Amino acid sequence: MPAPSGVVNAIYSTVIRRNFGFLGVIFLGAFATEIAFETTANSIWNSINRGRQWRDIKHRYMEQDE
Amino acid sequence: MPVVSLEYVFEMSSLRATRALGAAKSGATRTAQRNASSQSSSESAGSWKDTALLGSSTAFAIGSVSWYYYQFGRPAYAMTPQEEGLHPPKYPWEHEKLYKTFDHGTLRRGFQVYREVCSSCHSLSRIPYRTLVGNMMTVDEAKGLAEENEYDTEPNDEGEIEKRPGKLSDYIPNPYKNDEAARAANNGALPPDLSLMVKARHGGCNYIFSLLTGYPEEPPAGAVVASGLNFNPYFPGTGIAMSRVLYDGLVDYEDGTPATTSQMAKDAVEFLNWSAEPEMDDRKRMGWKVMAVGGVLFALSIWIKRYKWVNVKTRRLLYDPPTTGPNRPDNVTVGSAFRK
């Protein structure tokens, strides 16, 4: 197998080549993907439903308490 | 062609008969002509019979199918239209769209309508106060509401059951002690629990909205309304024990929305939809996420399948015959499969 070049090569030989590193990449990747996906999906959802959800109207009723 | 065979030919098939007829005509003998003319008239008689047979069997087929449909295929209505009730029109509910949540301002108003109007007759027994928090009320508001009611305590050391103010975990109290009391107070009719009402009736939101706003000033001429009942065309049977309850300006909305009859009905109905499907907002949002992730995974699975199969799909099996030596095809002689 021809050795991967440049950055890929560096990452491969420093991190992925070791099993621990490989596992770490998978776990961190999963967390990062999850957070990124949830954040974008929820912000799209909240903008489609702007003004309809409790989060959009609660300030009207919260302020009275303070 | 000899005339004798003509009749035989006619009986065989019309195609050959036509050809034979042509031959007979071109033969132009007297007999042939007479025969031909008589044959051609018998041919037209045959086609008349064919047409009649075809027509009558088609008519019979259509007739028997429609008779069968008439007997067994029509929808059977167990009820008269009056017993069925007027079907409600379809309203463009915003919250029923696949990508829309409930309008929680509407829910708050709808809950107010329930508390101020419906709750004197209808229970909402599946809704605890805690579910209102973060949906249409703040914690303090919901706690305050719960505390307005008294609930039984657990038995104390002496086995006495005392009263305590409500907590968030308590359920909205019933207006009547039991169904019998509810019946007795409503002319014998039980006001049903409203928690799942939107799911429990055909037409859901449309039906309840139409029911609440559908009371005419007076029943139409000729309508029979039993005593104690009210006329409502949307209610199956048209005689309903609940009278019209919503009138313009009945409640005072804190957000300044004009409290027309239809506004209150709309708010109450959306609130009842929430009480029947409190999970709807999350369900829709989760559904979209599942479709997004599922879509990516599906595309990936297709790609992986193609990736794995590419060797198999592009493989070609070639026969490469030896070009030299005794087994070269042109060298092989008798008995060989490659004999030239």
Side-chain angles (χ1 to χ4, degrees):
Chain A
M1 182 184 157
S5 60
V7 192
V8 178
N9 189 19
I11 294 177
Y12 175 77
S13 48
T14 50
V15 187
I16 298 178
R17 227 165 89 91
R18 274 168 285 245
N19 184 51
F20 181 76
F22 187 41
L23 207 67
V25 165
I26 290 175
F27 271 67
L28 287 179
F31 276 109
T33 313
E34 162 85 14
I35 290 170
F37 176 75
E38 289 290 311
T39 315
T40 29
N42 286 341
S43 70
I44 293 173
W45 180 256
N46 291 336
S47 77
I48 291 176
N49 287 290
R50 177 164 298 132
R52 297 178 69 78
Q53 303 184 86
W54 175 248
R55 63 200 299 283
D56 303 320
I57 58 168
K58 67 177 172 190
H59 61 268
R60 288 190 221 153
Y61 312 106
M62 295 298 220
E63 275 163 4
Q64 295 166 3
D65 304 335
E66 285 157 19
Chain B
M1 179 175 281
V3 178
V4 199
S5 70
L6 210 56
E7 288 178 48
Y8 169 72
V9 168
F10 263 86
E11 278 172 32
M12 283 311 288
S13 82
S14 61
L15 181 71
R16 272 153 75 197
T18 325
R19 252 195 263 124
L21 187 64
K25 272 183 178 156
S26 65
T29 64
R30 185 171 293 249
T31 342
Q33 269 179 343
R34 203 179 59 231
N35 240 323
S37 61
S38 76
Q39 286 303 340
S40 78
S41 75
S42 88
E43 183 207 21
S44 66
S47 75
W48 173 82
K49 279 181 196 159
D50 285 350
T51 314
L53 191 65
L54 196 67
S56 59
S57 51
T58 307
F60 179 73
I62 292 176
S64 49
V65 167
S66 36
W67 175 81
Y68 188 86
Y69 179 80
Y70 178 77
Q71 287 291 319
F72 308 111
R74 290 177 305 163
Y77 295 107
M79 296 192 286
T80 63
Q82 193 206 5
E83 286 165 338
E84 179 92 7
L86 196 58
H87 289 190
K90 283 192 174 55
Y91 293 101
W93 298 97
E94 195 71 2
H95 72 269
E96 285 184 353
K97 290 181 180 164
L98 288 180
Y99 52 89
K100 289 282 170 134
T101 63
F102 287 117
D103 185 331
H104 288 245
T106 301
L107 297 186
R108 191 179 166 97
R109 290 195 300 271
F111 182 49
Q112 185 184 350
V113 175
Y114 168 76
R115 264 183 308 151
E116 294 183 14
V117 186
C118 324
S119 70
S120 55
C121 301
H122 290 279
S123 56
L124 194 66
S125 59
R126 284 161 194 267
I127 305 297
Y129 286 101
R130 61 184 161 76
T131 55
L132 305 170
V133 178
N135 273 314
M136 57 202 84
M137 287 196 161
T138 63
V139 185
D140 298 327
E141 286 172 326
K143 271 187 184 158
L145 260 190
E147 281 162 9
E148 287 174 11
N149 307 292
E150 288 196 325
Y151 291 83
D152 288 348
T153 55
E154 294 288 299
N156 63 14
D157 294 345
E158 277 110 50
E160 305 295 331
I161 292 177
E162 290 164 2
K163 292 287 179 188
R164 58 160 175 81
K167 302 184 285 192
L168 280 182
S169 55
D170 285 315
Y171 285 75
I172 291 176
N174 297 347
Y176 301 106
K177 279 198 298 280
N178 46 50
D179 285 1
E180 284 68 23
R183 283 210 170 81
N186 286 284
N187 245 327
L190 175 71
D193 186 84
L194 292 183
S195 314
L196 296 170
M197 190 47 80
V198 167
K199 278 179 171 172
R201 292 291 181 275
H202 285 290
C205 290
N206 293 322
Y207 168 68
I208 298 175
F209 181 85
S210 303
L211 188 77
L212 292 175
T213 55
Y215 291 90
E217 294 286 325
E218 283 187 3
V224 185
V225 187
S227 79
L229 296 187
N230 306 273
F231 182 84
N232 190 316
Y234 297 98
F235 187 70
T238 67
I240 182 168
M242 173 171 75
S243 58
R244 177 176 172 180
V245 286
L246 296 178
Y247 293 92
D248 287 354
L250 190 61
V251 302
D252 245 339
Y253 284 138
E254 59 190 341
D255 60 3
T257 309
T260 59
T261 302
S262 54
Q263 179 70 47
M264 286 182 289
K266 183 245 174 191
D267 293 344
V269 164
E270 192 163 333
F271 169 74
L272 292 180
N273 199 157
W274 171 82
S275 73
E277 293 179 281
E279 83 294 351
M280 189 193 81
D281 289 357
D282 285 337
R283 170 160 51 79
K284 284 180 183 169
R285 185 173 50 179
M286 186 55 77
W288 285 110
K289 285 180 186 170
V290 168
M291 296 223 271
V293 174
V296 171
L297 292 183
F298 182 66
L300 255 176
S301 76
I302 300 235
W303 179 81
I304 288 176
K305 182 260 165 190
R306 294 174 68 111
Y307 174 76
K308 296 280 186 195
W309 277 76
V310 71
N311 289 333
V312 180
K313 292 273 188 178
T314 55
R315 176 182 300 167
R316 251 190 271 165
L317 297 180
L318 290 182
Y319 172 63
D320 194 7
T323 46
T324 53
N327 285 333
R328 230 180 72 192
D330 17 351
N331 280 347
V332 181
T333 46
V334 184
S336 166
F338 301 122
R339 187 168 42 153
K340 246 197 153 178

